[in-house]
Amino acid sequence: MTRVLIVDDEPQLLRALRINLAARHYEVALADDGGSALRQAAQFHPDVVVLDLGLPDIDGVEVVHGLRGWTSVPIIVLSGRAGSQDKIDALDAGADDYVTKPFDIEELLARIRAVTRRASPHETQPVQIRIGERTVDLAAKTVSGGVRLTPTEWRLLELLLRHPGRLISQRQMLTEVWGAGYAKETHYLRQYMAQLRRKLEPDPARPVHLITEPGMGYRFAP
Amino acid sequence: MTRVLIVDDEPQLLRALRINLAARHYEVALADDGGSALRQAAQFHPDVVVLDLGLPDIDGVEVVHGLRGWTSVPIIVLSGRAGSQDKIDALDAGADDYVTKPFDIEELLARIRAVTRRASPHETQPVQIRIGERTVDLAAKTVSGGVRLTPTEWRLLELLLRHPGRLISQRQMLTEVWGAGYAKETHYLRQYMAQLRRKLEPDPARPVHLITEPGMGYRFAP
DNA sequence: CGACAGCGTAGGGAAACCGTCAAGATGCGA
DNA sequence: TCGCATCTTGACGGTTTCCCTACGCTGTCG
C-alpha cells in the first residue's frame, strides 16, 4: 500500500486529500507545518510527500532540503504562487514535481501515480543488509534476532548503511540526525555508535562493520 | 553529458530549446513528429524526452505508450491544452512530468534537472585514482588494500590529486593544509609526504607518483 | 675537500580524539 | 501521577594523531 504524507496548513485541503486518497486505498499521514512534516517523514516513511510551500513555520524549500538530507522519497510541491522562480527553486532543491493551486484533484492523483510508478522499482531493491550475524531491513525497520533500535539509532544507522563503504563525516551525521545546531556535539556520536555496536556487532569492542575513522567520521563496511 | 530529445512541431520552439540546452552543455536531438520521435529515441538513446502532445501524425499519448514499450527514459510532456484530462492521460500513460504552454524556459530546464537527477543516481561518479597498485577514492575516503590515511594525510593527498601533473608549491600546500601561519614549515611537508609514500608508493624510496621538485614543491604524476 | 642547503627518516611527548560507565533530564503512555 | 524508554550530560582512561627535535643523506658550490 502506498504511503502518502500530506503537508499543508489548510485544514480543508488536508481533509479533502485525506478522503480522496483513503478512498483509493492510499495510507495517509498529515502534517500542518514544516517541523511536524520532517518528524512525520522520519516516523511514517512515506512513499511520496505532497508538500505545500506556504507553511506557517519553515519555508517550504527548506523542508525539501531537510528531507533530501536523508531520503530520496518523491516530493510533489503545491503552491499558490504561480511564479516560475518558486518552481525552479523547489525543483532544484530536490522536489520531483510542482503543482499550482488551485489544482484538479485528479491531476494531483495522476502525478502521485507518476512519481510512485517511477520510484517503485527502487523500492524492490534489497533493503536488507547483513551486519555480522544480524540482518537489518531498512524498509521494515527490523533487525533479526529480536534486536530493537530507537528512532535516533535508526536514523544514524540508515545514514551509514545507505552509503556502504563510504566515509560519513561527523558533521554530516550530526546535522542530518540531530539538526544543524548540533554540528559540534561529537559526544552524541560516540554515545550512539557505541549503542549500535552493542546491538549489532558480534564483538562490540572490536567493530568490523561500524568503523571509526579518527578525526573524520564513521564508515559502514559491508 | 545529458542527452535530450525534443519533440515538437513548432520550428521556433525547437530552435529556442536547442539553443538554450546547448548553451547549458546538453546534447540535443530534435524531432518534429511522432514517427521520427520514436525513431530518434531508438537511435539517440536520450536521457530525457521533452514531448509535445500536439503532433501532426500521432497523438502524443500514443508516443508515450510507444516509448514506454521498451524504455523507461524520463518523459516531460508539453501541451497547449490546459485541460486536466490531458495531463492525467499523459501521466498515466507513463510520462513523468507535464508542463503547460506557454512555459518559462527556466522552468522547463529545472524540470529537466529534476527528472534526470532522479533517474541517474549513478551520477555520483566515483572519483577513483590509481597510484601504483593502490586505488584512491576521494569521495568515499578509501584506499584499496586496507590502507588507512589520517585526516592531515587526506588533505595533503587531495590537494595533489585534484591537480594531476601540476606542480604544487610548498607554500600552497602548507597554507591550504596547515593554515596561513605555517607557510615556512617545510618540515611538515617532508614528514607527511614520506608517510603518504610509505602507504601508497610501491617503492617508497623511489617514488614515481608523488614526485619531489627540489626547492619548488611536489607533483602528482598519474 | 669541506661547507651548506634541501630532503628523507626516526622517535618521543603533548594534545586531541575516542570508547565506556554512570547518572540526570525529558517525554510518553498507562 | 507514576514508571519506563529514550535522550542528554558529565567524568575518566586508553588510543590515535599531531607537532617537534634530532640526525643521516645527497648534490652543489666555493
Side-chain angles (χ1 to χ4, degrees):
Chain A
M1 188 141 73
T2 307
R3 302 157 72 84
V4 186
L5 171 60
I6 305 172
V7 189
D8 201 306
D9 58 342
E10 299 176 35
Q12 287 181 327
L13 190 72
L14 284 181
R15 185 162 174 279
L17 285 177
R18 181 171 57 76
I19 292 170
N20 268 284
L21 288 167
R24 285 165 181 79
H25 304 100
Y26 288 89
E27 206 169 330
V28 181
L30 303 175
D32 57 6
D33 60 43
S36 61
L38 293 171
R39 279 195 301 279
Q40 285 270 41
Q43 288 177 16
F44 182 64
H45 280 271
D47 299 306
V48 53
V49 176
V50 178
L51 173 68
D52 185 12
L53 282 191
L55 295 176
D57 54 346
I58 317 176
D59 180 50
V61 175
E62 288 309 309
V63 177
V64 175
H65 276 128
L67 289 170
R68 277 293 170 267
W70 60 275
T71 178
S72 61
V73 60
I75 302 175
I76 300 176
V77 165
L78 304 179
S79 173
R81 294 171 285 184
S84 270
Q85 193 54 47
D86 289 335
K87 303 187 188 182
I88 295 165
D89 290 344
L91 291 169
D92 279 338
D96 292 86
D97 204 342
Y98 190 108
V99 180
T100 306
K101 292 183 186 177
F103 56 86
D104 182 347
I105 188 104
E106 286 298 332
E107 178 187 341
L108 179 63
L109 290 171
R111 288 190 186 268
I112 288 176
R113 286 193 295 274
V115 297
T116 52
R117 158 162 38 80
R118 169 154 294 276
S120 54
H122 193 272
E123 224 179 342
T124 52
Q125 89 178 19
V127 278
Q128 293 198 346
I129 299 157
R130 286 203 64 86
I131 300 182
E133 301 172 355
R134 300 262 126 81
T135 305
V136 178
D137 188 327
L138 288 179
K141 291 272 177 294
T142 56
V143 182
S144 64
V147 174
R148 289 187 61 247
L149 301 182
T150 71
T152 306
E153 287 166 2
W154 271 117
R155 290 215 292 277
L156 193 56
L157 184 64
E158 230 180 296
L159 183 57
L160 287 164
L161 263 51
R162 289 213 187 280
H163 306 282
R166 248 191 81 151
L167 174 83
I168 313 293
S169 72
Q170 301 175 353
R171 174 178 216 78
Q172 186 181 354
M173 298 171 83
L174 286 164
T175 55
E176 297 205 3
V177 175
W178 280 271
Y182 292 74
K184 305 211 156 183
E185 307 286 335
T186 60
H187 193 130
Y188 292 172
L189 283 184
R190 295 203 292 280
Q191 181 73 25
Y192 278 89
M193 287 306 294
Q195 291 179 24
L196 284 177
R197 283 169 177 156
R198 271 200 290 278
K199 294 183 177 180
L200 299 175
E201 288 273 3
D203 181 0
R206 304 199 161 167
V208 290
H209 293 103
L210 303 173
I211 308 293
T212 303
E213 299 282 356
M216 300 196 292
Y218 292 84
R219 178 196 309 279
F220 165 60
Chain B
M1 187 140 78
T2 307
R3 303 157 71 85
V4 186
L5 171 60
I6 306 173
V7 189
D8 202 305
D9 59 342
E10 298 175 35
Q12 287 182 323
L13 189 73
L14 283 181
R15 185 163 175 278
L17 284 176
R18 182 172 56 76
I19 293 171
N20 268 283
L21 287 167
R24 285 164 180 79
H25 304 98
Y26 289 89
E27 209 169 327
V28 181
L30 303 175
D32 56 6
D33 60 44
S36 60
L38 293 171
R39 280 195 303 279
Q40 285 270 41
Q43 288 176 16
F44 182 63
H45 281 276
D47 299 306
V48 54
V49 176
V50 178
L51 173 67
D52 185 13
L53 282 189
L55 296 175
D57 54 345
I58 318 176
D59 179 50
V61 176
E62 288 309 312
V63 177
V64 174
H65 277 128
L67 289 170
R68 279 289 170 270
W70 60 277
T71 178
S72 62
V73 60
I75 302 174
I76 300 177
V77 165
L78 305 177
S79 173
R81 295 171 286 184
S84 267
Q85 194 54 48
D86 290 337
K87 305 187 187 182
I88 295 164
D89 290 345
L91 292 170
D92 280 339
D96 292 86
D97 205 342
Y98 190 107
V99 180
T100 306
K101 291 185 187 178
F103 56 86
D104 182 345
I105 188 96
E106 286 297 331
E107 179 188 339
L108 179 63
L109 290 170
R111 288 190 187 268
I112 288 176
R113 287 195 293 275
V115 297
T116 53
R117 159 161 37 81
R118 164 154 300 277
S120 59
H122 299 288
E123 251 186 313
T124 51
Q125 57 213 342
V127 189
Q128 295 193 341
I129 300 160
R130 285 204 64 87
I131 300 183
E133 301 174 355
R134 300 262 125 82
T135 305
V136 178
D137 187 327
L138 289 179
K141 292 271 185 296
T142 56
V143 182
S144 63
V147 175
R148 290 184 57 243
L149 302 182
T150 71
T152 308
E153 287 165 2
W154 273 115
R155 288 208 296 276
L156 191 57
L157 183 65
E158 235 180 293
L159 181 56
L160 288 164
L161 263 50
R162 288 212 188 283
H163 307 283
R166 240 188 66 183
L167 172 71
I168 313 292
S169 72
Q170 298 178 349
R171 174 180 215 79
Q172 185 181 355
M173 298 171 83
L174 285 163
T175 54
E176 293 207 9
V177 175
W178 279 272
Y182 292 74
K184 305 216 158 183
E185 308 285 338
T186 62
H187 185 146
Y188 296 170
L189 284 183
R190 296 203 287 283
Q191 176 83 16
Y192 278 90
M193 287 305 294
Q195 290 180 21
L196 284 177
R197 282 169 177 156
R198 270 201 290 278
K199 293 183 177 180
L200 299 175
E201 289 274 3
D203 181 1
R206 294 190 172 67
V208 290
H209 293 103
L210 302 173
I211 309 295
T212 303
E213 300 282 357
M216 307 283 295
Y218 292 84
R219 176 197 310 277
F220 165 59

